Amino acid sequence: MRVLAGFETSLFNVAGQTMIADIFDPVNRGTAVGFFMAGTTVSPALGPLLGGIMVTFSTWRSIFWLQAIMAAFGLILSILFIPSTLSPPLKSRDSTPSIASLKLFNPLPTLSLVMYPNILLTNLTCGFLGWVQYSLLASPRNLPIFTGIAAPSSLTPSLFYLAPGAGFLVGTLFWGKFSDNAVRRYTASRGFRLPQDRLNASVAGFFIATVAFLIYGWALQKSVGGIPLAVVSIFVTGFGLMASFNCLNTYSAGKTSCLSSACYLCWFLSSSSATISSHGGKYLVQYAFAAAGSASIVPLIESVGIGSACTISVALVLVGSGCTMIVAQRGQEMQEWWMEKNSQ
Protein backbone atom coordinates (compact mmCIF):
# COMPACT_ATOMS: atom_id res chain seq x y z
CA MET A 1 0.00 0.00 0.00
CA ARG A 2 2.86 2.37 0.73
CA VAL A 3 4.32 1.67 -2.71
CA LEU A 4 0.98 2.47 -4.34
CA ALA A 5 0.72 5.68 -2.30
CA GLY A 6 4.19 6.72 -3.46
CA PHE A 7 3.25 5.97 -7.06
CA GLU A 8 0.28 8.33 -6.85
CA THR A 9 2.28 11.07 -5.15
CA SER A 10 5.02 11.05 -7.79
CA LEU A 11 2.45 11.10 -10.57
CA PHE A 12 0.81 14.13 -8.98
CA ASN A 13 4.10 16.06 -8.89
CA VAL A 14 5.04 15.25 -12.47
CA ALA A 15 1.58 15.89 -13.92
CA GLY A 16 1.06 19.05 -11.87
CA GLN A 17 4.24 20.78 -12.97
CA THR A 18 3.70 19.70 -16.56
CA MET A 19 0.26 21.33 -16.53
CA ILE A 20 1.81 24.49 -15.12
CA ALA A 21 4.24 24.53 -18.05
CA ASP A 22 1.28 24.24 -20.43
CA ILE A 23 -0.87 26.92 -18.78
CA PHE A 24 1.53 29.66 -17.60
CA ASP A 25 3.99 31.69 -19.67
CA PRO A 26 7.68 31.46 -18.67
CA VAL A 27 7.94 34.84 -16.94
CA ASN A 28 5.06 34.03 -14.57
CA ARG A 29 5.79 30.35 -14.13
CA GLY A 30 7.85 30.72 -10.95
CA THR A 31 4.90 32.20 -9.08
CA ALA A 32 2.64 29.37 -10.29
CA VAL A 33 5.19 26.73 -9.30
CA GLY A 34 5.49 28.44 -5.92
CA PHE A 35 1.78 28.03 -5.22
CA PHE A 36 1.91 24.44 -6.47
CA MET A 37 4.89 23.63 -4.24
CA ALA A 38 3.16 25.27 -1.27
CA GLY A 39 1.05 22.15 -0.99
CA THR A 40 3.55 19.51 -2.03
CA THR A 41 6.36 20.75 0.24
CA VAL A 42 4.40 21.87 3.29
CA SER A 43 2.43 18.63 3.55
CA PRO A 44 5.48 16.44 4.45
CA ALA A 45 6.14 18.86 7.32
CA LEU A 46 2.58 19.35 8.55
CA GLY A 47 1.53 15.73 7.95
CA PRO A 48 3.54 14.37 10.91
CA LEU A 49 2.08 17.09 13.14
CA LEU A 50 -1.48 16.25 12.18
CA GLY A 51 -0.71 12.54 12.36
CA GLY A 52 0.82 12.95 15.80
CA ILE A 53 -2.31 14.71 17.05
CA MET A 54 -4.60 12.07 15.55
CA VAL A 55 -2.60 9.14 16.91
CA THR A 56 -2.42 10.75 20.35
CA PHE A 57 -6.12 11.51 20.68
CA SER A 58 -7.68 9.01 18.28
CA THR A 59 -6.62 5.89 16.37
CA TRP A 60 -4.04 5.47 13.60
CA ARG A 61 -6.79 4.26 11.25
CA SER A 62 -8.28 7.75 11.20
CA ILE A 63 -5.19 8.96 9.31
CA PHE A 64 -6.03 6.81 6.31
CA TRP A 65 -9.68 7.88 6.36
CA LEU A 66 -8.50 11.49 6.26
CA GLN A 67 -6.20 10.75 3.32
CA ALA A 68 -9.04 9.14 1.39
CA ILE A 69 -11.33 12.12 2.00
CA MET A 70 -8.63 14.60 0.96
CA ALA A 71 -7.86 12.64 -2.23
CA ALA A 72 -11.54 12.60 -3.18
CA PHE A 73 -11.83 16.33 -2.49
CA GLY A 74 -8.76 17.04 -4.62
CA LEU A 75 -10.18 14.97 -7.47
CA ILE A 76 -13.41 16.96 -7.41
CA LEU A 77 -11.55 20.29 -7.41
CA SER A 78 -9.32 19.21 -10.31
CA ILE A 79 -12.31 18.17 -12.41
CA LEU A 80 -14.11 21.45 -11.74
CA PHE A 81 -11.31 24.01 -11.99
CA ILE A 82 -8.23 22.71 -13.86
CA PRO A 83 -8.43 23.30 -17.63
CA SER A 84 -7.55 20.46 -19.95
CA THR A 85 -4.12 20.72 -21.59
CA LEU A 86 -4.30 17.45 -23.54
CA SER A 87 -3.01 17.67 -27.10
CA PRO A 88 -4.16 15.22 -29.77
CA PRO A 89 -1.48 12.56 -30.26
CA LEU A 90 0.46 12.38 -33.45
CA LYS A 91 -0.09 9.43 -35.72
CA SER A 92 1.75 6.41 -34.39
CA ARG A 93 4.53 4.73 -36.38
CA ASP A 94 3.13 1.38 -35.30
CA SER A 95 0.21 -0.08 -37.20
CA THR A 96 -0.97 -1.98 -34.11
CA PRO A 97 -2.68 0.35 -31.60
CA SER A 98 -1.92 -1.93 -28.65
CA ILE A 99 1.83 -1.74 -29.33
CA ALA A 100 1.69 2.05 -29.50
CA SER A 101 -0.21 2.17 -26.22
CA LEU A 102 2.28 -0.08 -24.47
CA LYS A 103 5.15 2.12 -25.59
CA LEU A 104 3.63 5.02 -23.67
CA PHE A 105 4.63 3.19 -20.47
CA ASN A 106 8.23 2.76 -21.57
CA PRO A 107 10.47 4.42 -18.90
CA LEU A 108 13.46 4.75 -21.24
CA PRO A 109 12.51 8.26 -22.50
CA THR A 110 12.78 9.49 -18.92
CA LEU A 111 16.21 7.95 -18.53
CA SER A 112 17.42 9.17 -21.93
CA LEU A 113 16.79 12.83 -21.09
CA VAL A 114 18.78 12.49 -17.86
CA MET A 115 21.89 11.99 -20.00
CA TYR A 116 21.85 15.62 -21.15
CA PRO A 117 24.45 17.48 -19.04
CA ASN A 118 22.23 20.40 -18.03
CA ILE A 119 19.37 18.09 -17.03
CA LEU A 120 21.73 15.69 -15.23
CA LEU A 121 23.31 18.47 -13.15
CA THR A 122 20.00 20.04 -12.13
CA ASN A 123 18.53 16.62 -11.32
CA LEU A 124 21.50 15.82 -9.09
CA THR A 125 21.08 19.17 -7.36
CA CYS A 126 17.42 18.39 -6.69
CA GLY A 127 18.58 15.07 -5.28
CA PHE A 128 21.03 16.77 -2.91
CA LEU A 129 18.34 19.20 -1.76
CA GLY A 130 15.91 16.30 -1.34
CA TRP A 131 18.48 14.55 0.86
CA VAL A 132 18.66 17.61 3.14
CA GLN A 133 14.90 18.19 3.19
CA TYR A 134 13.92 14.65 4.12
CA SER A 135 16.82 14.03 6.48
CA LEU A 136 15.72 17.19 8.26
CA LEU A 137 12.14 15.91 8.48
CA ALA A 138 13.19 12.41 9.57
CA SER A 139 15.32 13.39 12.57
CA PRO A 140 13.27 15.42 15.13
CA ARG A 141 12.34 12.44 17.35
CA ASN A 142 16.05 11.72 17.86
CA LEU A 143 17.13 15.26 18.73
CA PRO A 144 18.54 15.72 22.25
CA ILE A 145 16.44 18.85 22.89
CA PHE A 146 13.35 16.66 23.41
CA THR A 147 14.94 14.75 26.26
CA GLY A 148 13.00 15.31 29.47
CA ILE A 149 10.09 17.20 27.90
CA ALA A 150 6.85 16.00 29.45
CA ALA A 151 4.41 15.57 26.57
CA PRO A 152 2.86 12.70 24.62
CA SER A 153 5.65 10.91 22.74
CA SER A 154 3.86 11.01 19.39
CA LEU A 155 3.03 14.69 19.67
CA THR A 156 6.21 16.26 21.05
CA PRO A 157 8.48 15.83 18.01
CA SER A 158 5.54 16.50 15.70
CA LEU A 159 5.27 20.09 16.96
CA PHE A 160 8.83 20.67 15.78
CA TYR A 161 7.67 20.21 12.18
CA LEU A 162 5.85 23.55 12.32
CA ALA A 163 9.11 25.47 11.94
CA PRO A 164 10.41 23.85 8.72
CA GLY A 165 6.86 23.70 7.35
CA ALA A 166 6.49 27.45 7.78
CA GLY A 167 9.88 27.98 6.15
CA PHE A 168 8.90 25.79 3.20
CA LEU A 169 5.69 27.75 2.72
CA VAL A 170 7.20 31.23 2.92
CA GLY A 171 10.24 30.27 0.83
CA THR A 172 8.39 28.74 -2.09
CA LEU A 173 5.77 31.52 -2.30
CA PHE A 174 8.21 34.42 -1.95
CA TRP A 175 10.94 33.01 -4.19
CA GLY A 176 8.55 32.13 -6.98
CA LYS A 177 7.83 35.82 -7.52
CA PHE A 178 11.48 36.70 -6.96
CA SER A 179 12.68 34.28 -9.64
CA ASP A 180 10.11 35.62 -12.11
CA ASN A 181 11.45 39.13 -11.56
CA ALA A 182 14.99 37.83 -12.12
CA VAL A 183 13.91 36.36 -15.48
CA ARG A 184 12.41 39.71 -16.49
CA ARG A 185 15.64 41.53 -15.59
CA TYR A 186 17.84 39.16 -17.61
CA THR A 187 15.43 39.30 -20.56
CA ALA A 188 15.38 43.10 -20.54
CA SER A 189 19.18 43.38 -20.36
CA ARG A 190 19.89 40.74 -23.02
CA GLY A 191 16.89 41.20 -25.29
CA PHE A 192 15.79 37.57 -25.12
CA ARG A 193 15.10 34.90 -22.50
CA LEU A 194 17.02 31.74 -21.74
CA PRO A 195 15.43 28.99 -19.59
CA GLN A 196 18.44 28.89 -17.27
CA ASP A 197 18.21 32.61 -16.43
CA ARG A 198 16.07 31.88 -13.40
CA LEU A 199 18.71 29.58 -11.93
CA ASN A 200 20.77 32.67 -11.09
CA ALA A 201 18.11 33.55 -8.52
CA SER A 202 18.84 30.34 -6.60
CA VAL A 203 22.29 31.47 -5.37
CA ALA A 204 20.89 33.29 -2.34
CA GLY A 205 18.73 30.29 -1.45
CA PHE A 206 21.73 27.95 -1.42
CA PHE A 207 23.66 30.39 0.78
CA ILE A 208 20.77 30.82 3.24
CA ALA A 209 20.19 27.07 3.55
CA THR A 210 23.91 26.37 4.02
CA VAL A 211 24.49 28.89 6.82
CA ALA A 212 21.22 28.14 8.63
CA PHE A 213 21.67 24.36 8.56
CA LEU A 214 25.21 24.62 9.93
CA ILE A 215 23.95 26.83 12.77
CA TYR A 216 21.14 24.36 13.42
CA GLY A 217 23.40 21.32 13.59
CA TRP A 218 26.27 22.72 15.59
CA ALA A 219 24.03 24.67 17.98
CA LEU A 220 22.33 21.39 18.87
CA GLN A 221 25.67 19.60 19.02
CA LYS A 222 27.11 22.17 21.45
CA SER A 223 23.80 22.73 23.33
CA VAL A 224 23.72 26.42 22.42
CA GLY A 225 20.50 28.42 22.12
CA GLY A 226 18.14 25.62 23.07
CA ILE A 227 14.81 25.18 21.31
CA PRO A 228 14.43 28.85 20.19
CA LEU A 229 17.63 28.87 18.13
CA ALA A 230 16.85 25.41 16.71
CA VAL A 231 13.37 26.54 15.65
CA VAL A 232 14.58 29.76 14.02
CA SER A 233 17.50 28.10 12.21
CA ILE A 234 15.35 25.24 10.91
CA PHE A 235 12.76 27.75 9.67
CA VAL A 236 15.46 29.65 7.77
CA THR A 237 16.86 26.37 6.42
CA GLY A 238 13.44 25.44 5.06
CA PHE A 239 13.13 28.89 3.51
CA GLY A 240 16.49 28.58 1.74
CA LEU A 241 15.81 25.05 0.52
CA MET A 242 12.50 26.03 -1.08
CA ALA A 243 14.03 29.15 -2.61
CA SER A 244 16.51 26.96 -4.47
CA PHE A 245 13.93 24.25 -5.18
CA ASN A 246 11.54 26.76 -6.74
CA CYS A 247 14.12 27.91 -9.28
CA LEU A 248 15.13 24.36 -10.17
CA ASN A 249 11.56 23.05 -10.42
CA THR A 250 10.48 26.00 -12.57
CA TYR A 251 13.48 25.46 -14.82
CA SER A 252 12.43 21.83 -15.23
CA ALA A 253 8.83 22.92 -15.82
CA GLY A 254 9.86 24.82 -18.94
CA LYS A 255 8.62 23.71 -22.32
CA THR A 256 11.43 21.24 -22.95
CA SER A 257 11.95 20.68 -26.63
CA CYS A 258 12.25 17.13 -27.90
CA LEU A 259 15.94 16.72 -27.09
CA SER A 260 16.52 13.23 -28.39
CA SER A 261 15.36 11.39 -31.45
CA ALA A 262 15.38 8.27 -29.27
CA CYS A 263 12.65 9.75 -27.10
CA TYR A 264 9.68 7.92 -28.58
CA LEU A 265 7.25 9.41 -26.07
CA CYS A 266 8.21 12.94 -27.17
CA TRP A 267 7.48 12.00 -30.78
CA PHE A 268 4.27 10.12 -30.10
CA LEU A 269 2.42 12.62 -27.98
CA SER A 270 2.98 16.38 -28.00
CA SER A 271 5.63 18.95 -27.15
CA SER A 272 4.76 18.74 -23.45
CA SER A 273 5.73 15.07 -23.33
CA ALA A 274 9.40 16.02 -23.17
CA THR A 275 8.52 18.05 -20.10
CA ILE A 276 6.88 14.96 -18.59
CA SER A 277 10.01 12.90 -19.23
CA SER A 278 12.22 15.65 -17.81
CA HIS A 279 10.14 15.81 -14.63
CA GLY A 280 10.08 12.04 -14.35
CA GLY A 281 13.86 11.88 -14.36
CA LYS A 282 14.11 14.70 -11.87
CA TYR A 283 11.79 13.07 -9.35
CA LEU A 284 13.45 9.70 -9.87
CA VAL A 285 16.76 11.19 -8.73
CA GLN A 286 15.23 13.50 -6.12
CA TYR A 287 13.24 10.85 -4.29
CA ALA A 288 16.06 8.32 -4.47
CA PHE A 289 18.25 10.78 -2.57
CA ALA A 290 15.35 11.67 -0.26
CA ALA A 291 14.86 8.01 0.64
CA ALA A 292 18.58 7.63 1.27
CA GLY A 293 18.60 10.71 3.49
CA SER A 294 15.58 9.56 5.47
CA ALA A 295 17.12 6.14 6.04
CA SER A 296 20.64 7.28 6.90
CA ILE A 297 20.24 10.48 8.93
CA VAL A 298 19.45 8.85 12.30
CA PRO A 299 22.34 6.32 12.14
CA LEU A 300 24.56 9.18 10.95
CA ILE A 301 23.58 11.38 13.90
CA GLU A 302 24.18 8.51 16.31
CA SER A 303 27.60 7.80 14.77
CA VAL A 304 29.15 11.27 14.29
CA GLY A 305 26.75 13.68 15.99
CA ILE A 306 24.19 16.05 14.53
CA GLY A 307 26.76 18.79 13.85
CA SER A 308 28.86 16.60 11.59
CA ALA A 309 25.75 15.07 10.00
CA CYS A 310 24.51 18.54 9.06
CA THR A 311 27.97 19.43 7.73
CA ILE A 312 27.85 16.42 5.41
CA SER A 313 24.42 17.53 4.17
CA VAL A 314 25.71 21.08 3.66
CA ALA A 315 28.57 19.71 1.55
CA LEU A 316 25.96 18.16 -0.76
CA VAL A 317 24.14 21.51 -0.96
CA LEU A 318 27.37 23.25 -1.93
CA VAL A 319 28.04 20.69 -4.65
CA GLY A 320 24.50 21.25 -5.93
CA SER A 321 25.05 24.99 -5.88
CA GLY A 322 28.11 24.57 -8.07
CA CYS A 323 26.20 22.32 -10.49
CA THR A 324 23.40 24.88 -10.72
CA MET A 325 25.77 27.75 -11.45
CA ILE A 326 27.43 25.73 -14.22
CA VAL A 327 24.04 25.23 -15.85
CA ALA A 328 23.08 28.88 -15.32
CA GLN A 329 26.23 30.08 -17.07
CA ARG A 330 26.89 27.29 -19.59
CA GLY A 331 23.61 25.41 -19.93
CA GLN A 332 22.89 26.41 -23.51
CA GLU A 333 26.41 25.56 -24.63
CA MET A 334 26.32 22.18 -22.90
CA GLN A 335 23.01 21.26 -24.51
CA GLU A 336 24.18 22.28 -28.00
CA TRP A 337 27.48 20.39 -27.52
CA TRP A 338 25.65 17.23 -26.45
CA MET A 339 23.19 17.38 -29.34
CA GLU A 340 25.98 17.95 -31.84
CA LYS A 341 28.03 15.10 -30.37
CA ASN A 342 25.14 12.65 -30.61
CA SER A 343 24.12 13.74 -34.10
CA GLN A 344 27.46 12.74 -35.57
Side-chain angles (χ1 to χ4, degrees):
M1 293 302 295
R2 294 288 292 171
V3 172
L4 292 177
F7 179 85
E8 182 276 331
T9 302
S10 300
L11 174 64
F12 172 80
N13 284 320
V14 173
Q17 292 193 33
T18 303
M19 286 188 287
I20 287 175
D22 286 340
I23 296 171
F24 292 90
D25 61 275
V27 296
N28 295 307
R29 199 169 287 156
T31 303
V33 170
F35 278 99
F36 174 80
M37 289 177 60
T40 60
T41 59
V42 172
S43 55
L46 297 186
L49 171 62
L50 182 59
I53 295 173
M54 297 177 71
V55 169
T56 300
F57 299 103
S58 180
T59 173
W60 61 267
R61 294 178 177 84
S62 59
I63 297 175
F64 295 95
W65 283 111
L66 177 63
Q67 289 180 336
I69 293 171
M70 292 174 63
F73 184 61
L75 176 61
I76 294 172
L77 291 179
S78 64
I79 293 174
L80 294 178
F81 296 106
I82 296 180
S84 175
T85 60
L86 181 64
S87 299
L90 299 176
K91 185 178 179 181
S92 172
R93 297 175 183 176
D94 295 293
S95 57
T96 306
S98 59
I99 296 178
S101 300
L102 288 175
K103 285 189 175 182
L104 296 179
F105 296 92
N106 181 12
L108 293 180
T110 295
L111 300 177
S112 65
L113 287 180
V114 174
M115 300 308 297
Y116 281 80
N118 53 329
I119 295 178
L120 176 61
L121 292 177
T122 52
N123 287 355
L124 284 175
T125 302
C126 287
F128 297 149
L129 295 177
W131 170 291
V132 176
Q133 180 188 4
Y134 280 85
S135 63
L136 181 156
L137 295 174
S139 60
R141 182 181 292 273
N142 300 84
L143 298 181
I145 57 175
F146 293 120
T147 303
I149 297 180
S153 59
S154 297
L155 184 58
T156 307
S158 301
L159 294 172
F160 195 67
Y161 286 94
L162 286 173
F168 293 161
L169 178 63
V170 176
T172 188
L173 293 178
F174 175 81
W175 223 262
K177 190 68 175 178
F178 180 83
S179 67
D180 283 342
N181 290 333
V183 171
R184 294 187 183 97
R185 289 196 302 270
Y186 277 97
T187 303
S189 63
R190 190 192 298 113
F192 59 92
R193 182 190 66 86
L194 290 175
Q196 58 266 26
D197 286 342
R198 104 172 37 249
L199 295 180
N200 293 288
S202 66
V203 177
F206 283 113
F207 176 78
I208 292 171
T210 296
V211 174
F213 206 43
L214 284 175
I215 293 174
Y216 167 77
W218 286 106
L220 290 176
Q221 181 82 22
K222 302 297 183 180
S223 300
V224 176
I227 292 180
L229 181 57
V231 168
V232 172
S233 59
I234 208 63
F235 168 85
V236 178
T237 300
F239 178 92
L241 286 175
M242 289 307 110
S244 301
F245 253 133
N246 180 278
C247 298
L248 289 160
N249 282 346
T250 309
Y251 172 74
S252 297
K255 278 272 191 178
T256 310
S257 60
C258 192
L259 296 175
S260 173
S261 60
C263 180
Y264 180 87
L265 188 61
C266 300
W267 177 87
F268 186 79
L269 289 174
S270 63
S271 60
S272 63
S273 58
T275 308
I276 297 173
S277 294
S278 178
H279 280 318
K282 184 187 84 74
Y283 281 108
L284 174 65
V285 175
Q286 179 177 325
Y287 283 133
F289 274 88
S294 298
S296 63
I297 187 61
V298 173
L300 193 60
I301 291 174
E302 293 173 348
S303 299
V304 300
I306 190 169
S308 298
C310 289
T311 302
I312 294 172
S313 297
V314 163
L316 295 178
V317 174
L318 292 176
V319 173
S321 176
C323 293
T324 303
M325 289 302 96
I326 291 174
V327 176
Q329 301 300 319
R330 302 297 181 192
Q332 191 70 20
E333 298 174 14
M334 289 190 299
Q335 181 172 314
E336 293 174 354
W337 168 79
W338 183 261
M339 294 179 71
E340 181 180 355
K341 175 183 176 181
N342 284 271
S343 64
Q344 295 175 352

